[in-house]
Amino acid sequence: MRIKVAINGYGTIGKRVADAVNLQDDMEVVGVTKTKPDFEAKIALKKYPLYAALPERAETFEKAGLKIDGTIEDLLHKADIVVDCSPGKVGAENKALYEKAGVKAIFQGGEKANVAETSFNALANYNKAVGKNFVRVVSCNTTGLARIIAVLKDIYSLKKVRATMIRRVVDPKEDKKGLVNGIMPDPVKLPSHHAEDVKTVIPDVSIVTTAFKVPTTLMHLHSIAIEMDGKVETEDVVSIFEEEPRIMLFSGEDGFTSTAKIIEFAREYRMRYDLFENAVWRESINFHDGELYITQAIHQEAIVVPENIDAIRAMFDLADKQESMKKTNRALGII
Ligand code: NAD
């Protein structure tokens, strides 16, 4: 059985999820939507059937010479599931359409948790999404934190996680907004929302987070300190991370001195320089005075992509956690 997947919103996340679905043998893309006939719509049309996300704008595509197969409502009739990749908060507005069409839906991290029956991260809570109709894949920062906490929690007892997020201000394509010269506490009032968001997928963790935006577009950076219950061997943690394909270790000795160098590596390593893995600096992993320290970088445009694929498998109960993650990893070249 191949699951028929629609992508509503072919932007930064949508185009990547579409291409990732296209690489799996148990699902296929039946169509993608765009709101306007811009260059992204033209590229989309070379790969996938194109539909108008907003029915009232359908004729603008025809006028621009782009052949569409209908509107989002037509697309939903052909789909078993829709992956909503519209801008934050718009997904919640789209939900009524999905309910009316009787299709399952995945929402992204820009939506509030209550848009779905469960929030999702494959390593943290795959089984919660099994058989569900509405699932929300948590945001890029939350995915990065959840993976680290989930793999450590399988082995150790964690007393308290403290994480500071140094966030890229916008994605590379954004030319309408940005922070040119400054460091922005985001939010000013502490703690940041990320801790509560992590708890949507790992409820029994004690965690506090702070976040700051800085003028870069490439990646987020996380400085994490975890108060551990007992002694931990740094080398054991290195081995645990080495064994988890969704975490990749980078070393200063190899020249990885910044996120710029990690992205330069990714440009050689992957199509569209997508780094689906947490990029953890090996030397940063250090147990000192009861606390485990970790510094990692997160490629915000890519990290949630494998999670969307696993969420689809869980919702149709196509595979268990290990099997699904293995399949996704193989198809996306996560080794
Ligand atoms: P984006 O702006 O790059 O893409 C959104 C797309 O949706 C655009 O093509 C836009 O035209 C389209 N759209 C607008 N209104 C729509 C509607 N009513 N129906 C359907 N499509 C519509 O945004 P993005 O960065 O891909 O973010 C999408 C979601 O993923 C958000 O919830 C965001 O919070 C989340 N997310 C983003 C990132 C990231 O760093 N970019 C990382 C993780 C999660």
Side-chain angles (χ1 to χ4, degrees), residues 93-114:
E93 291 167 18
N94 288 338
K95 188 175 175 186
L97 271 179
Y98 309 150
E99 283 172 326
K100 193 173 150 214
V103 291
K104 291 180 186 255
I106 293 177
F107 299 94
Q108 305 304 315
E111 305 303 321
K112 289 200 174 132
N114 66 9

Side-chain angles (χ1 to χ4, degrees), residues 8-14 33-36 40 53-54 84-90 94 108-111 138-140 168 171 173-174 220 300-301 304:
N8 196 17
Y10 193 76
T12 304
I13 301 299
T33 74
K34 279 294 300 173
T35 51
K36 49 181 185 288
E40 281 181 317
L54 305 172
D84 185 292
C85 300
S86 64
K89 315 284 183 288
V90 177
N94 288 338
Q108 305 304 315
E111 305 303 321
V138 291
S139 74
C140 46
R168 65 89 182 95
D171 287 335
K173 74 173 181 186
E174 298 289 347
H220 301 300
Q300 75 281 353
E301 297 166 293
V304 298

Side-chain angles (χ1 to χ4, degrees), residues 19-174:
D19 289 350
V21 167
N22 209 22
L23 290 170
Q24 315 300 317
D25 62 13
D26 50 357
M27 53 189 87
E28 63 186 297
V29 179
V30 288
V32 305
T33 74
K34 279 294 300 173
T35 51
K36 49 181 185 288
D38 61 3
F39 72 92
E40 281 181 317
K42 287 179 186 161
I43 296 173
L45 195 52
K46 287 188 198 293
K47 299 191 194 178
Y48 306 112
L50 182 65
Y51 294 79
L54 305 172
E56 65 276 17
R57 292 209 206 145
E59 63 189 37
T60 63
F61 288 84
E62 308 289 352
K63 275 189 193 151
L66 292 193
K67 194 197 154 303
I68 55 169
D69 283 20
T71 68
I72 176 67
E73 289 176 19
D74 301 312
L75 174 57
L76 293 177
H77 284 307
K78 301 197 168 110
D80 300 314
I81 185 166
V82 56
V83 184
D84 185 292
C85 300
S86 64
K89 315 284 183 288
V90 177
E93 291 167 18
N94 288 338
K95 188 175 175 186
L97 271 179
Y98 309 150
E99 283 172 326
K100 193 173 150 214
V103 291
K104 291 180 186 255
I106 293 177
F107 299 94
Q108 305 304 315
E111 305 303 321
K112 289 200 174 132
N114 66 9
V115 74
E117 294 159 275
T118 182
S119 291
F120 180 83
N121 171 263
L123 278 168
N125 72 342
Y126 184 95
N127 290 340
K128 284 265 182 222
V130 171
K132 294 284 190 302
N133 290 324
F134 297 109
V135 167
R136 165 184 171 263
V137 170
V138 291
S139 74
C140 46
N141 280 303
T142 306
T143 298
L145 290 174
R147 284 184 185 166
I148 293 290
I149 295 168
V151 294
L152 291 175
K153 226 169 144 291
D154 270 353
I155 296 174
Y156 301 110
S157 164
L158 317 185
K159 276 174 123 173
K160 176 140 195 151
V161 180
R162 295 182 182 82
T164 299
M165 258 76 61
I166 318 284
R167 302 177 59 194
R168 65 89 182 95
V169 62
V170 290
D171 287 335
K173 74 173 181 186
E174 298 289 347

Side-chain angles (χ1 to χ4, degrees), residues 46-312:
K46 287 188 198 293
K47 299 191 194 178
Y48 306 112
L50 182 65
Y51 294 79
L54 305 172
E56 65 276 17
R57 292 209 206 145
E59 63 189 37
T60 63
F61 288 84
E62 308 289 352
K63 275 189 193 151
L66 292 193
K67 194 197 154 303
I68 55 169
D69 283 20
T71 68
I72 176 67
E73 289 176 19
D74 301 312
L75 174 57
L76 293 177
H77 284 307
K78 301 197 168 110
D80 300 314
I81 185 166
V82 56
V83 184
D84 185 292
C85 300
S86 64
K89 315 284 183 288
V90 177
E93 291 167 18
N94 288 338
K95 188 175 175 186
L97 271 179
Y98 309 150
E99 283 172 326
K100 193 173 150 214
V103 291
K104 291 180 186 255
I106 293 177
F107 299 94
Q108 305 304 315
E111 305 303 321
K112 289 200 174 132
N114 66 9
V115 74
E117 294 159 275
T118 182
S119 291
F120 180 83
N121 171 263
L123 278 168
N125 72 342
Y126 184 95
N127 290 340
K128 284 265 182 222
V130 171
K132 294 284 190 302
N133 290 324
F134 297 109
V135 167
R136 165 184 171 263
V137 170
V138 291
S139 74
C140 46
N141 280 303
T142 306
T143 298
L145 290 174
R147 284 184 185 166
I148 293 290
I149 295 168
V151 294
L152 291 175
K153 226 169 144 291
D154 270 353
I155 296 174
Y156 301 110
S157 164
L158 317 185
K159 276 174 123 173
K160 176 140 195 151
V161 180
R162 295 182 182 82
T164 299
M165 258 76 61
I166 318 284
R167 302 177 59 194
R168 65 89 182 95
V169 62
V170 290
D171 287 335
K173 74 173 181 186
E174 298 289 347
D175 54 9
K176 281 199 185 138
K177 50 185 182 177
L179 174 71
V180 176
N181 185 17
I183 299 175
M184 184 191 284
D186 181 43
V188 175
K189 188 176 184 308
L190 300 178
S192 75
H193 73 278
H194 302 93
E196 284 311 306
D197 208 28
V198 167
K199 287 186 192 169
T200 65
V201 290
I202 310 178
D204 58 339
V205 66
S206 171
I207 176 168
V208 64
T209 52
T210 55
F212 303 86
K213 281 184 180 166
V214 295
T216 178
T217 63
L218 297 177
M219 300 182 97
H220 301 300
L221 188 132
H222 295 176
S223 172
I224 305 170
I226 307 175
E227 219 180 299
M228 306 295 285
D229 196 2
K231 193 173 179 316
V232 168
E233 294 299 331
T234 298
E235 278 314 306
D236 291 346
V237 176
V238 171
S239 304
I240 291 164
F241 288 169
E242 269 173 349
E243 275 164 34
E244 173 46 59
R246 296 212 180 160
I247 296 174
M248 196 185 270
L249 294 180
F250 290 83
S251 174
E253 276 183 11
D254 289 334
F256 290 108
T257 47
S258 71
T259 53
K261 290 283 174 28
I262 292 175
I263 287 295
E264 187 60 14
F265 159 83
R267 285 193 178 104
E268 302 292 317
Y269 190 63
R270 286 267 165 71
M271 183 184 91
R272 212 190 255 135
Y273 73 89
D274 281 348
L275 207 56
F276 303 118
E277 302 89 339
N278 293 35
V280 173
W281 267 281
R282 183 185 290 266
E283 294 89 339
S284 76
I285 304 167
N286 194 12
F287 182 73
H288 176 73
D289 204 14
E291 293 197 68
L292 177 64
Y293 295 96
I294 299 160
T295 307
Q296 65 172 352
I298 300 297
H299 184 197
Q300 75 281 353
E301 297 166 293
I303 192 164
V304 298
V305 172
E307 311 299 322
N308 274 275
I309 302 299
D310 292 325
I312 294 171

